[in-house]
Amino acid sequence: MITEQKNILAYPIEYLKGVGPLRADWLKKELNIFSFNDLLHLFPYRHVDKTKISLIKEIKPETEFIQIAGKLESIEVIGEKRSKRMIAYLKDSSGVVELVWFQGINWIQKYLHEGGSYLVFGRTSVFNNKPQIVHPEIDIFTEQHTQGKPYFEPIYPSTEKLKSKGLNGKQIAKLTQTLLLQIQSQNLEENIPEDVCTKLHLMSRYEAYRNIHFPANVQEYEQALYRLKFEEFFIAQVRLNLIRLQRHKASKGVVFEKVGDYFNNFYNHHLPFELTKAQKNVLRQIRQDTAKGHQMNRLLQGDVGSGKTIVALLCMLLAADNGYQSCIMAPTETLAQQHFNSLSKLLQNTHIQISLLTGSTKNKERKAIIEELKNGNIHFIVGTHALIEDAVQFKNLGFVVVDEQHKFGVAQRAALWKKATTPPHILVMTATPIPRTLAMTAYGDLDYSIMDELPKGRQEITTVQRNEMQRASIMEFIRAEIKKGRQIYVIYPLIEESEKLSYEDLMQGYEEIKGYFPEPEYRISMLHGKMPSEQKEINMKRFVEGTTQIMVSTTVIEVGVDVPNATVMVIESAEKFGLSQLHQLRGRVGRGSEKSFCILLTGSKVSTEARERINIMCQTNNGFIIAEKDLELRGPGDVEGTRQSGALNFKLASIVNDKPLLEKAKEIAEKLLEEDIKMNLAKNLPLKNYLIQQKGKTNWSKIS
Ligand code: ADP
Ligand code: MG
């Protein structure tokens, strides 16, 4: 009996009085409503105040719904067949409005009397300069209407199909009312501990659902909304922090006991520069994490150019000192290749064995690498997705670096963990900073570090917007930079609909640039997705070595590429890029000590939103600020890499507009779990039960 009560929200929707199998089918097909819970969470998108009777003269073009009362002056039926309609004229002290019916005329006509008083509600429109209401709700008006209980009518989303099946917004409201009554009789259980409810003055869960659908006044609605938003954040934070804290307390991880020769030798003799304070801080955090015996799972957020790679390398050396292998995974072959090159160079005079494994590694070499990994002769392996394949096995993998992680899904990360009996430590490095609220929700199960400092001697990149008319002067500017010995990027957008179009754009651009910068004085590299990887490699290599002065490329260049001598980034059709992508691309310059420039070329038609993106780019170089703006402009669903995370499926709460509430939920969730991670205290039991009920969302075996 008890379990049945608990799961009332899981009942299939056809069990609700008034639904039945046919309507259930339609609800499923059209609105994705399968259970009581789904219907309960189909929230009205607005409420209409039916306590208020307005004057006819208040109808403006922008009015949506209105309720009015008045006398019926006259009724007429005009037109034939399809254009047949009935028009009634309703008059109040301020004016006249037309009420129009196209259907059900006979039936309505019987109900209406000229000279009678009526209460009318409906969606207004203006036709021939005259206000009208088509198919209004209409009732005989009595004095009671102005007294009685205040009432806000919920307006639900419906679809044309549903309406034609007799399930319009009104009927959905009725079903929801039935549902609420049924839930009330069975006592909907709480999922927020009582002390938290008291402290934040939250209404009960049942009350909240009732009032979000059928509030008596605005205040009740707001309170219901507050409670349900908090609940969404709170439950998500409990889940994420539970995973994080369980890992801290319960997981097993490999132990890096000591700092040994590999690390010390490199640090003292081969480190090409002094580390920034931020780099040192992160190293210290990782050092602590990896010494504890629990698995580390850390997100490293550093702005472009803040020097994440060297941090990763030092950690890998630490792993080697303790007898463990490391791998570093990059999202593209170009980037993997580059990491391999620069790491190999840094490790030249050490005894570290490092290899590269990508999709294009030749079979024979591949076999050899796999063999060497298995017997432990290779210390570090750099690669792409190829590293995830089952054939790749390690002797003792201890440290995993996932670079520019938004291209790797959670499942892919998990596949890497499984390559060792004790899960290796994981360091996830992001391509671009993520707003704090987003990090808290999408990556709340990870610990995270921030590197908000650039290496010394860097100069601000100057960013400007230019258009087609200024192309010639841009080319002259480029020529002058090349004369100074610098290198240039010119980037073309990937046109999503057509790879072919992108390619043509790029080729055309390449030819044009060749016209401005002819061989042999100038040499140009080109890079695009369709190019065979050897050719990519050659083109990249020639640019990295400085043989070519200009790199013409699509966004394959986007992540991670590091050529400190490059000082100009020209982005063609900049309006087609998202903010984080623009920032990421701009990050390809300004990596050395020379002054750098980013030129955003735009077409003649630029949307307001694109203009705003470009303005932000021109105003700031700070990736953390850009990330916040990006979130504001696009909303969380679209910010790169978080789309599938599932942690963002908030129906009511918004990580953009409800930041303080999110902070509060996080703080309370963390404190609760610190105190009682098993949630066995009496006050936390309802929460625990709720989480166990919501099975399938995460692995709960550990909390029971
Ligand atoms: P990102 O964080 O974008 O991955 P990289 O790791 O590629 O940045 O580093 C950017 C550039 O800065 C590289 O050329 C790297 O050698 C250099 N660099 C990293 N750390 C420092 C430092 N502490 N001082 C000077 N240069 C540094
Ligand atoms: Mg990088």
Side-chain angles (χ1 to χ4, degrees):
M1 266 335 267
I2 290 173
T3 47
E4 219 169 297
Q5 258 188 21
K6 272 185 192 162
N7 285 327
I8 176 164
L9 293 184
Y11 284 6
I13 193 65
E14 46 265 56
Y15 288 13
L16 186 67
K17 222 172 100 198
V19 176
L22 262 179
R23 282 183 151 190
D25 263 1
W26 285 108
L27 286 170
K28 287 174 198 172
K29 271 194 203 122
E30 293 288 309
L31 292 174
N32 251 332
I33 293 177
F34 287 82
S35 64
F36 281 18
N37 191 57
D38 294 338
L39 181 62
L40 195 61
H41 287 89
L42 180 76
F43 298 122
Y45 59 89
R46 56 172 293 163
H47 286 87
V48 173
D49 184 352
K50 284 220 168 168
T51 61
K52 191 171 160 213
I53 296 177
S54 305
L55 291 172
I56 289 170
K57 72 169 180 198
E58 288 171 42
I59 299 176
K60 299 270 146 59
E62 64 274 13
T63 312
E64 246 199 292
F65 292 93
I66 201 161
Q67 177 164 263
I68 47 186
K71 263 204 170 85
L72 263 195
E73 293 254 281
S74 63
I75 304 170
E76 57 187 27
V77 178
I78 54 173
E80 293 284 331
K81 289 191 179 151
R82 285 184 137 241
S83 64
K84 184 173 170 183
R85 59 196 184 277
M86 178 170 84
I87 303 178
Y89 298 88
L90 186 86
K91 183 174 192 240
D92 71 2
S93 61
S94 75
V96 179
V97 66
E98 289 181 5
L99 310 178
V100 185
W101 286 267
F102 296 98
Q103 278 148 15
I105 294 176
N106 292 343
W107 187 82
I108 287 283
Q109 211 170 4
K110 279 187 208 135
Y111 182 78
L112 302 179
H113 307 282
E114 288 183 4
S117 287
Y118 293 89
L119 181 72
V120 170
F121 173 82
R123 193 187 279 274
T124 61
S125 53
V126 178
F127 187 72
N128 276 344
N129 262 333
K130 280 182 272 182
Q132 58 170 224
I133 303 177
V134 177
H135 286 177
E137 292 169 26
I138 187 159
D139 257 319
I140 294 165
F141 183 68
T142 61
E143 281 309 308
Q144 278 160 316
H145 277 117
T146 46
Q147 303 148 13
K149 216 175 144 211
Y151 181 52
F152 282 79
E153 183 172 295
I155 310 289
Y156 290 93
S158 183
T159 66
E160 285 311 314
K161 271 244 171 69
L162 279 180
K163 279 180 200 159
S164 73
K165 300 287 163 191
L167 272 171
N168 60 20
K170 262 205 157 25
Q171 266 115 9
I172 289 175
K174 231 181 235 154
L175 293 180
T176 306
Q177 209 144 26
T178 312
L179 174 63
L180 281 164
L181 281 174
Q182 192 162 343
I183 293 172
Q184 186 180 29
S185 69
Q186 297 212 14
N187 273 333
L188 187 63
E189 294 201 343
E190 255 311 328
N191 53 9
I192 301 177
E194 205 181 322
D195 58 332
V196 177
C197 286
T198 312
K199 195 176 146 209
L200 297 182
H201 307 291
L202 301 179
M203 54 170 65
S204 77
R205 197 160 161 236
Y206 173 74
E207 267 182 298
Y209 281 122
R210 196 191 60 216
N211 287 317
I212 196 124
H213 289 283
F214 303 103
N217 52 48
V218 176
Q219 211 180 3
E220 267 188 13
Y221 177 78
E222 298 279 329
Q223 281 172 3
L225 191 62
Y226 182 79
R227 141 92 208 199
L228 291 174
K229 281 181 177 180
F230 177 80
E231 179 183 319
E232 283 183 337
F233 279 152
F234 177 71
I235 297 294
Q237 285 301 311
V238 169
R239 282 210 173 98
L240 291 165
N241 282 290
L242 196 58
I243 298 171
R244 196 173 58 84
L245 293 172
Q246 266 172 354
R247 194 176 50 241
H248 287 186
K249 298 201 164 130
S251 76
K252 262 181 89 92
V254 295
V255 185
F256 298 167
E257 279 169 330
K258 58 171 191 207
V259 182
D261 288 346
Y262 285 127
F263 185 99
N264 285 328
N265 177 37
F266 181 84
Y267 197 90
N268 297 326
H269 304 296
H270 303 291
L271 195 61
F273 35 65
E274 195 185 341
L275 295 184
T276 64
K277 250 206 219 103
Q279 284 170 323
K280 283 185 189 161
N281 273 339
V282 174
L283 265 182
R284 199 169 308 125
Q285 283 171 338
I286 294 172
R287 172 90 189 94
Q288 279 168 8
D289 282 1
T290 52
K292 278 186 194 150
H294 299 303
Q295 189 211 9
M296 176 186 86
N297 225 316
R298 188 169 280 279
L299 174 69
L300 173 54
Q301 281 209 64
D303 207 346
V304 247
S306 60
K308 295 183 284 289
T309 318
I310 199 82
V311 171
L313 173 61
L314 287 162
C315 295
M316 290 157 73
L317 288 165
L318 182 65
D321 275 337
N322 291 277
Y324 289 97
Q325 294 167 295
S326 299
C327 74
I328 174 162
M329 225 169 35
T332 62
E333 240 173 72
T334 318
L335 192 56
Q337 178 72 50
Q338 182 198 280
H339 272 322
F340 176 71
N341 295 348
S342 60
L343 293 182
S344 302
K345 204 165 138 206
L346 284 163
L347 295 170
Q348 233 166 39
N349 300 313
T350 67
H351 298 293
I352 291 285
Q353 288 304 316
I354 179 167
S355 291
L356 175 70
L357 186 69
T358 69
S360 58
T361 306
K362 297 275 175 313
N363 227 342
K364 200 171 140 209
E365 198 189 341
R366 188 186 156 74
K367 274 203 183 119
I369 290 176
I370 288 176
E371 198 49 45
E372 299 283 276
L373 273 178
K374 228 185 269 171
N375 63 31
N377 288 343
I378 292 176
H379 300 98
F380 297 172
I381 180 104
V382 183
T384 53
H385 290 74
L387 288 179
I388 298 178
E389 287 162 23
D390 283 343
V392 181
Q393 294 297 332
F394 293 81
K395 183 171 179 220
N396 54 358
L397 180 64
F399 199 85
V400 172
V401 180
V402 181
D403 194 20
E404 314 296 4
Q405 83 95 208
H406 67 252
K407 308 239 159 112
F408 278 121
V410 176
Q412 289 166 314
R413 262 191 273 153
L416 268 177
W417 305 8
K418 292 192 192 113
K419 292 188 181 287
T421 32
T422 308
H425 299 300
I426 311 239
L427 181 67
V428 173
M429 309 201 293
T430 60
T432 316
I434 306 165
R436 190 177 138 71
T437 49
L438 196 58
M440 269 160 62
T441 44
Y443 302 105
D445 59 327
L446 307 180
D447 292 298
Y448 63 94
S449 308
I450 285 179
M451 294 209 309
D452 51 2
E453 183 188 356
L454 296 183
K456 269 195 218 101
R458 296 276 173 83
Q459 296 186 44
E460 283 270 292
I461 302 165
T462 298
T463 304
V464 294
Q465 179 190 5
R466 293 287 182 265
N467 60 42
E468 205 45 50
M469 312 282 287
Q470 293 150 305
R471 188 174 287 274
S473 71
I474 294 168
M475 294 302 145
E476 287 322 303
F477 176 70
I478 289 178
R479 201 183 303 280
E481 283 291 302
I482 294 176
K483 270 225 174 74
K484 288 193 227 160
R486 317 273 188 267
Q487 288 165 282
I488 317 292
Y489 290 99
V490 183
I491 307 294
Y492 288 83
L494 264 179
I495 298 167
E496 260 178 39
E497 313 87 66
S498 157
E499 208 180 327
K500 191 159 158 274
L501 266 182
S502 312
Y503 181 70
E504 282 168 6
D505 259 21
L506 177 81
M507 290 316 282
Q508 204 183 330
Y510 176 70
E511 290 304 326
E512 195 181 346
I513 286 170
K514 240 164 74 178
Y516 280 103
F517 302 99
E519 290 186 18
E521 192 182 352
Y522 300 98
R523 288 160 309 275
I524 307 175
S525 276
M526 183 168 57
L527 212 60
H528 61 80
K530 276 166 66 182
M531 205 176 245
S533 54
E534 296 106 77
Q535 216 175 327
K536 267 193 220 166
E537 214 174 283
I538 293 168
N539 273 290
M540 194 64 226
K541 192 159 167 257
R542 278 161 55 84
F543 189 67
V544 172
E545 286 167 349
T547 313
T548 53
Q549 300 111 325
I550 302 177
M551 166 62 86
V552 179
S553 165
T554 58
T555 48
V556 286
I557 206 85
E558 177 188 343
V559 271
V561 168
D562 185 41
V563 180
N565 189 47
T567 55
V568 183
M569 165 63 64
V570 180
I571 302 177
E572 297 273 353
S573 306
E575 72 274 13
K576 294 196 179 136
F577 292 82
L579 258 182
S580 70
Q581 211 176 17
L582 287 172
H583 179 62
Q584 185 54 235
L585 285 168
R586 176 171 60 185
R588 297 311 106 217
V589 297
R591 300 172 85 81
S593 52
E594 301 303 333
K595 171 82 188 163
S596 291
F597 303 87
C598 176
I599 300 169
L600 304 173
L601 263 166
T602 54
S604 49
K605 276 195 205 128
V606 180
S607 69
T608 329
E609 216 193 290
R611 192 168 302 282
E612 194 158 348
R613 288 199 295 270
I614 304 232
N615 286 341
I616 292 164
M617 287 298 293
C618 294
Q619 281 157 17
T620 182
N621 273 292
N622 184 322
F624 290 90
I625 295 175
I626 289 173
E628 293 289 341
K629 293 281 182 195
D630 198 24
L631 182 60
E632 271 170 39
L633 283 177
R634 299 204 293 169
D638 280 335
V639 174
E640 254 165 276
T642 55
R643 214 168 304 203
Q644 327 85 316
S645 79
L648 296 171
N649 290 337
F650 301 123
K651 284 206 123 136
L652 296 167
S654 145
I655 65 169
V656 181
N657 302 323
D658 302 310
K659 274 188 209 172
L661 196 62
L662 173 58
E663 298 274 354
K664 201 177 287 178
K666 176 180 153 77
E667 187 194 310
I668 293 173
E670 277 176 354
K671 195 163 151 251
L672 184 151
L673 292 174
E674 287 289 350
E675 234 172 57
D676 180 23
I677 191 157
K678 292 196 166 326
M679 294 176 280
N680 281 339
L681 292 179
K683 68 178 174 122
N684 296 333
L685 279 176
L687 171 64
K688 178 173 177 168
N689 287 336
Y690 176 80
L691 292 174
I692 291 171
Q693 259 181 48
Q694 303 278 302
K695 44 187 172 296
K697 302 214 167 155
T698 183
N699 177 12
W700 294 107
S701 56
K702 286 181 188 154
I703 62 164
S704 49

